[in-house]
Amino acid sequence: MKGGLQPIRLLITRSAATAVGAEGRIRAARLPSRKSLEDFDFDHQRSVKRETISHLGTLDFVVGKENVIFLGPPGTGKTHLAPGLGIRACQAGHRFAFATAAQWVARLTDAHANGRLADELTRLSRIPLIVVDEIGYIPFEPEAANLFFQFISAATNTRVADRGRGALRDAPAGKACRKAPRPKRRDHPSPVAGA
């Protein structure tokens, strides 16, 4: 009987370790509030398709290195659903980072000012799921827009060849952006409000 109990105890230990790891990954994401996919009120926001969110919850897009874009006016659930997907990803063993576009730009500006931009972009490019919330609410100055562009390029490992317009003014970050590209990514726009 002793041999029969050991695998069960080992399974519980692994499960507990996975839960602890998921909690650490969720804390590291720096979410402003914790919102799960299960807590989303589909009855209140009828324009959001439950089937679409359920499919996204399988995290096929993370494994396939694909982008998901939530489109819609304020109050339609984008800031609930994106972190919800991030929490689900953490529970599945993936790392996840969350911030508003303005917060990402502030972080990159600080890294640039301290000579750490290339290192920061490289570090961020290794995170499988990055959520950028509130894109388009605040216009960026040209330098901020350049940093944001470098961030998105590094995160998706896209080769940048727009030298004529000076898209890569920061040479170290340019090196971070020119790594070998990942397999082709597809974007999945998901409207969260009815047209």
Side-chain angles (χ1 to χ4, degrees), residues 15 22 27 29 32 37 48 51 54 57 63 65 80 83 88 91 93 98 107 111 115 121 128 131 151 161 169 171:
S15 177
R27 278 193 306 277
L37 294 178
V48 177
E51 300 80 32
S54 292
V63 175
K65 299 177 181 172
H80 184 130
R88 178 75 57 87
Q91 292 166 339
F98 175 92
R107 183 173 173 173
L121 290 172
V131 173
F151 166 54
R169 292 188 192 117

Side-chain angles (χ1 to χ4, degrees), residues 65 124-128 154-157 179-185:
K65 299 177 181 172
L124 291 171
S125 72
R126 293 181 181 137
I127 299 173
T156 58
N157 276 335
K179 291 186 176 181
R182 291 180 180 167
K184 186 175 179 183
R185 297 175 71 112

Side-chain angles (χ1 to χ4, degrees), residues 101-102 104-106 108-109 139-151 169:
W104 283 119
V105 167
L108 296 169
T109 300
F140 293 138
E141 295 295 322
E143 184 61 28
N146 180 41
L147 290 171
F148 190 72
F149 174 77
Q150 291 181 59
F151 166 54
R169 292 188 192 117

